[in-house]
Amino acid sequence: MKKLINDPADVVADALRGMALAHPELRVDHENRVVFRGDGPRQGKVGLVSGGGSGHEPMHGGFVGRGMLDAACAGEVFTSPVPDQMVAATQGVDGGAGVLHIVKNYTGDVMNFEMAAELVAAESGTEVVTVVVDDDVAVTDSLYTAGRRGVGTTVLLEKVVGAAAEEGRPLAEVADLARRVDDAGRSMGMALTSCTVPAAGKPTFDLPEDQMEIGIGIHGEPGRRRVPLAPAREVAEMLVEPILADLSFSGGDGVICFVNGLGATPLLELYVLYAEVAALLEKAGVGIARSLVGPYMTSLDMAGATVTLLRCDDELLRLWDAPVITPGLRWGA
C-alpha cells in the first residue's frame, strides 16, 4: 500500500486538519468531525446537512459553503458518521427555519441520520426533514442498502437545493425540491480497479487486469456483471442504456450530464467517456443543457467512472447556474 498518509488510524482527522488550514472560510469542529460554513448559521435560512463515510472527497465536506451545504459530517473511511456527529451538525446550522438532512441511501447513514433527527427534535424542537437519495440503477439492493444506492445525483441535488435554500425558501419547499431532483436523476457506474482502504492495507476486491465491473458501488460493492475490458465507446453504452431504460429523459429542457471520476481516472479519460456519452444521448434525442466532468464523488483510489443524468426544467437549470462558493464547486461569484 502506497499512500500519502501518516497513520491509517488518523487519516480522517489529519485530512480534516489539512482542510481547515487550506480553507479558512470554513469552520471545522475537529471533536465531532463536522465541516461548517464559516458564516453560519444564518438566521431565517434552512440549514442543509449531509455527510457519510470519508473516502469520497470532495463529497461531502468539499461542498460546504455558499450555495450548497451548511455542514457535512465525516465518518471513518466508508463508514457512516455516528448520530452524535449529526446532532452537532444539525444544531450548528439551525437558523430558526428548520434543517434538511440529505442522506445517501446506505443503511448506516439512513439509520443514524434518522436517530439524530429524533434526538434534535426531542431536545430543541427544531424541525428536521430527511430526503434520501437513491438514484443508482445498477442494482435494486446491495451489501450496504435496502433499495437503490445513493450516488451521483447527490452532488447535483446538493447544488440545486443549496441554491434554493440560499434564496430563503421555506423548509417544506426545499425538501419538495430535493425529492423532485432525486426522482429526476439516475446513475450507473463502472470500475477498472478496486480501491484500497487505508486501514485494510490491501485492495477491497480482486479485479483481473483484463476485466471490469459494470454497476459498481462507491464502496466497492459488486455490480451487475464482470465483463472483458472494452473501449470507452462500449463502456458508455453499458452505462447510458440502463439509465435511459429506467427513466424517460426526452423532451423538456434537457439534462445535466455528469461524468464522475472515482479517484484514479484522469480527466483525459473522463472527457473521452463524456464524448461517447454525449453521442449516445444525441442519438437518443436527449439534449444536454449543462455538463459536469471530474472527480466529485470518489472512491479513494478506484479507477472507474459513473454517469448521472438529471432531467431538468427552467427552475432546476436556474438553480444549477446560481452562484456557488465551495472547495469542490465554484462558479458565478
Side-chain angles (χ1 to χ4, degrees), residues 22 103 106 144 158 166 227 329:
V103 185
Y106 296 97
Y144 286 70
E158 289 178 356
E166 204 73 45
V227 299
L329 277 184

Short mmCIF file of all heavy atoms in Angstrom, two decimals, residues 22 103 106 144 158 166 227 329:
data_model
loop_
_atom_site.label_atom_id
_atom_site.label_comp_id
_atom_site.label_asym_id
_atom_site.label_seq_id
_atom_site.Cartn_x
_atom_site.Cartn_y
_atom_site.Cartn_z
N ALA A 22 -6.38 24.71 4.68
CA ALA A 22 -6.46 25.10 3.27
C ALA A 22 -7.66 26.00 2.98
O ALA A 22 -7.63 26.78 2.02
CB ALA A 22 -6.52 23.86 2.38
N VAL A 103 -29.43 12.56 2.61
CA VAL A 103 -28.84 11.29 3.01
C VAL A 103 -28.74 10.34 1.81
O VAL A 103 -29.76 10.06 1.16
CB VAL A 103 -29.67 10.62 4.12
CG1 VAL A 103 -28.98 9.37 4.62
CG2 VAL A 103 -29.92 11.60 5.26
N TYR A 106 -27.70 4.49 2.13
CA TYR A 106 -26.92 3.40 2.71
C TYR A 106 -27.45 3.18 4.11
O TYR A 106 -27.75 4.14 4.83
CB TYR A 106 -25.42 3.75 2.71
CG TYR A 106 -24.90 3.91 1.30
CD1 TYR A 106 -24.80 5.15 0.73
CD2 TYR A 106 -24.58 2.79 0.53
CE1 TYR A 106 -24.38 5.31 -0.59
CE2 TYR A 106 -24.16 2.93 -0.78
CZ TYR A 106 -24.06 4.19 -1.33
OH TYR A 106 -23.67 4.33 -2.64
N TYR A 144 -24.83 -2.73 1.13
CA TYR A 144 -24.93 -1.61 2.06
C TYR A 144 -26.33 -1.04 2.17
O TYR A 144 -26.58 -0.17 2.99
CB TYR A 144 -23.99 -0.47 1.62
CG TYR A 144 -22.51 -0.70 1.86
CD1 TYR A 144 -21.80 -1.65 1.13
CD2 TYR A 144 -21.82 0.04 2.80
CE1 TYR A 144 -20.45 -1.85 1.34
CE2 TYR A 144 -20.46 -0.14 3.02
CZ TYR A 144 -19.78 -1.09 2.28
OH TYR A 144 -18.44 -1.28 2.49
N GLU A 158 -27.39 18.47 -4.04
CA GLU A 158 -26.86 19.41 -3.05
C GLU A 158 -26.66 20.80 -3.66
O GLU A 158 -26.87 21.81 -2.99
CB GLU A 158 -25.56 18.87 -2.46
CG GLU A 158 -25.80 17.66 -1.55
CD GLU A 158 -24.55 17.06 -0.98
OE1 GLU A 158 -23.43 17.51 -1.33
OE2 GLU A 158 -24.67 16.11 -0.17
N GLU A 166 -30.47 29.08 -0.28
CA GLU A 166 -29.78 30.38 -0.25
C GLU A 166 -30.76 31.52 -0.54
O GLU A 166 -30.59 32.64 -0.06
CB GLU A 166 -28.65 30.39 -1.28
CG GLU A 166 -27.55 31.38 -0.98
CD GLU A 166 -26.67 30.94 0.18
OE1 GLU A 166 -26.27 29.77 0.26
OE2 GLU A 166 -26.38 31.81 1.03
N VAL A 227 -17.15 -8.02 -16.99
CA VAL A 227 -17.02 -8.22 -18.44
C VAL A 227 -15.58 -7.92 -18.85
O VAL A 227 -14.83 -7.27 -18.12
CB VAL A 227 -17.99 -7.29 -19.21
CG1 VAL A 227 -19.43 -7.59 -18.83
CG2 VAL A 227 -17.67 -5.82 -18.95
N LEU A 329 -16.89 22.94 -5.68
CA LEU A 329 -17.58 23.57 -6.79
C LEU A 329 -17.56 25.07 -6.59
O LEU A 329 -17.79 25.56 -5.48
CB LEU A 329 -19.06 23.13 -6.85
CG LEU A 329 -19.43 21.81 -7.52
CD1 LEU A 329 -20.95 21.66 -7.54
CD2 LEU A 329 -18.87 21.68 -8.91
#
